[in-house]
Amino acid sequence: MRNPLLGTLPAAMFRYSSDYAEFVAESLRRSWHIGSGYAERALTTAARAALTPGGGEELLSRFLSGYASYMMEMATVPCIALENTAERIERRAGIAQPPHEIRTVGGKPLMLPIRFAEASQGWAAFAVDSIKAQKALETLPPYGEIFEVLQFSGQALLVVYAVDFRKTDLGAYHEVGVEVWVRPKANPSAFPGTAIIRMSVDGEFSVEGAHAAWNFIKLLAPRMQPTYRDESVTFPVDHDDPNTLAITLPRFGRGRSTDLPIRYYTVKPQEHTAWCVVFRRNTEREGIQFGGDVMVRLGDSKGGNCFCALKGGGRREQCLCVALRDMGLPKAPLANGWAESMTGHVEAPYTVAGRDISAHPLGNTSR
């Protein structure tokens, strides 16, 4: 099976009947969960409309909006079920850490998975030259040696994203980052995911917690206050410095998503092997569009508090804005999205690179 986003799937994933049964069961579980959720909301809306004068128009509007969201979520069921099944295969193959772990941050225990109860998120995806994207990845050693960018006719998928975390286990903070779709070089049969080239946050505990939990390198930028407007929001690396990276995203959407898994790759400390981190999110008032009105502002490497001036991991970062400009940014995105309300959790990392997990049956739990 081939897919331009998923790449080549493990050839033997469904070699065993138990693997296929697990995939079918996961698809049915997701379909039932999504369907029952929409049915409950539809009944609630109908009851309210019946008690409200002129509520029929609202009922029709909400029904059509809910039906569109339902169809969009149901279309994702096979891919999401496949990702969830692959994750279970990887964990049961004996190469994964337990999904629940305790890390120590500042002398205090931190339980994984890390939860976030209230947040907003936006992103914009761009097609860029794959060779230049690989070079940008190599500015964060040893990512360039461990991962290779996914190529689509010589192009790579690069994403600039922003998140407003209001209630999480790591506190409240803002985050702006740049990531690219990759797969581990040591195990090209593994599912692709995203690797974060740079990210900055304005919460110091988030810097420490993310490093302890997943070995993410977050750069501390204390002045990242976003500016919200009725139809857009601007996330800057430094709101006091116009010569820094910033992204303006449209706020739109009436859709929702349920338990959507997003795979991130990071590097396991000491061993220098790929770690997989699964980020699971639920959204409401979410929208996705092609070629939206997104504005990316880049610094010129002389800014006082852009990516290149922020310190992380004991070193000064190279200027990513120069690399992004070399890749053609700012320009119109392929697609962009916004979620006004987002909840979910980020799981404990586990190793997938260096072993061909497709050779192990799903039910093999003895390793």
Side-chain angles (χ1 to χ4, degrees), residues 48-355:
R48 290 177 179 174
L51 299 175
T52 304
E57 182 177 347
E58 178 188 4
L59 176 60
L60 178 60
S61 175
R62 287 180 176 269
F63 170 78
L64 292 176
S65 175
Y67 180 73
S69 298
Y70 169 76
M71 294 302 294
M72 185 171 66
E73 279 208 66
M74 290 299 291
T76 67
V77 165
C79 289
I80 295 174
L82 196 58
E83 163 68 29
N84 289 339
T85 303
E87 181 188 352
R88 279 192 290 271
I89 292 174
E90 291 166 350
R91 289 190 182 276
R92 295 180 189 182
I95 57 176
Q97 298 293 326
H100 301 281
E101 295 183 21
I102 296 179
R103 305 292 168 82
T104 301
V105 180
K108 299 180 181 179
L110 181 68
M111 173 70 80
L112 276 70
I114 302 297
R115 302 163 299 177
F116 51 97
E118 184 179 327
S120 298
Q121 180 193 47
W123 56 270
F126 302 88
V128 299
D129 183 87
S130 60
I131 296 177
K132 294 179 180 180
Q134 184 71 35
K135 289 182 178 179
L137 188 65
E138 291 169 357
T139 64
L140 186 64
Y143 277 57
E145 293 78 31
I146 296 175
F147 302 107
E148 60 181 0
V149 300
L150 288 182
Q151 298 188 32
F152 314 91
S153 300
Q155 299 286 293
L157 188 64
L158 181 137
V159 178
V160 182
Y161 73 91
V163 191
D164 184 352
F165 287 109
R166 293 181 287 274
K167 294 181 181 179
T168 81
D169 287 337
L170 297 178
Y173 62 96
H174 305 107
E175 180 173 306
V176 172
V178 177
E179 59 193 25
V180 64
W181 276 75
V182 302
R183 75 170 113 227
K185 290 182 179 179
N187 191 356
S189 66
F191 266 58
T194 60
I196 299 175
I197 301 175
R198 296 284 192 283
M199 62 176 149
S200 61
V201 297
D202 58 1
E204 190 168 357
F205 187 70
S206 171
V207 173
E208 299 175 3
H211 188 267
W214 313 290
N215 200 30
F216 282 140
I217 298 177
K218 293 188 176 184
L219 310 176
L220 184 61
R223 298 185 296 273
M224 292 183 62
Q225 185 62 42
T227 301
Y228 280 88
R229 308 172 190 85
D230 289 342
E231 297 182 352
S232 68
V233 58
T234 298
F235 286 83
V237 172
D238 185 344
H239 67 76
D240 290 333
D241 189 346
N243 188 20
T244 57
L245 184 141
I247 182 169
T248 300
L249 296 154
R251 300 169 67 188
F252 67 101
R254 301 179 65 178
R256 56 169 53 92
S257 62
T258 305
D259 193 32
L260 180 68
I262 301 175
R263 174 172 292 217
Y264 283 87
Y265 280 116
T266 180
V267 177
K268 188 174 184 179
Q270 283 81 48
E271 297 184 15
H272 282 191
T273 56
W275 251 3
C276 178
V277 179
V278 178
F279 168 49
R280 296 186 179 274
R281 63 197 284 273
N282 310 290
T283 63
E284 294 186 0
R285 288 175 291 166
E286 180 178 24
I288 299 175
Q289 63 183 351
F290 296 97
D293 188 15
V294 173
M295 291 184 291
V296 175
R297 184 188 73 195
L298 299 177
D300 62 3
S301 78
K302 299 178 182 179
N305 196 25
C306 203
F307 282 130
C308 56
L310 302 176
K311 292 184 178 180
R315 64 178 180 273
R316 181 182 176 90
E317 301 297 329
Q318 298 183 38
C319 184
L320 185 62
C321 289
V322 171
L324 293 177
R325 187 173 286 108
D326 187 45
M327 285 186 268
L329 274 69
K331 63 179 180 178
L334 287 177
N336 68 284
W338 174 257
E340 193 71 34
S341 176
M342 181 176 69
T343 63
H345 65 270
V346 187
E347 299 175 354
Y350 62 92
T351 304
V352 296
R355 294 278 299 277

Side-chain angles (χ1 to χ4, degrees), residues 23-42:
F23 169 72
V24 172
E26 173 68 18
S27 299
L28 292 175
R29 279 194 298 267
R30 286 198 59 81
S31 299
W32 172 258
H33 178 69
I34 293 171
S36 61
Y38 277 99
E40 179 181 357
R41 287 188 287 269

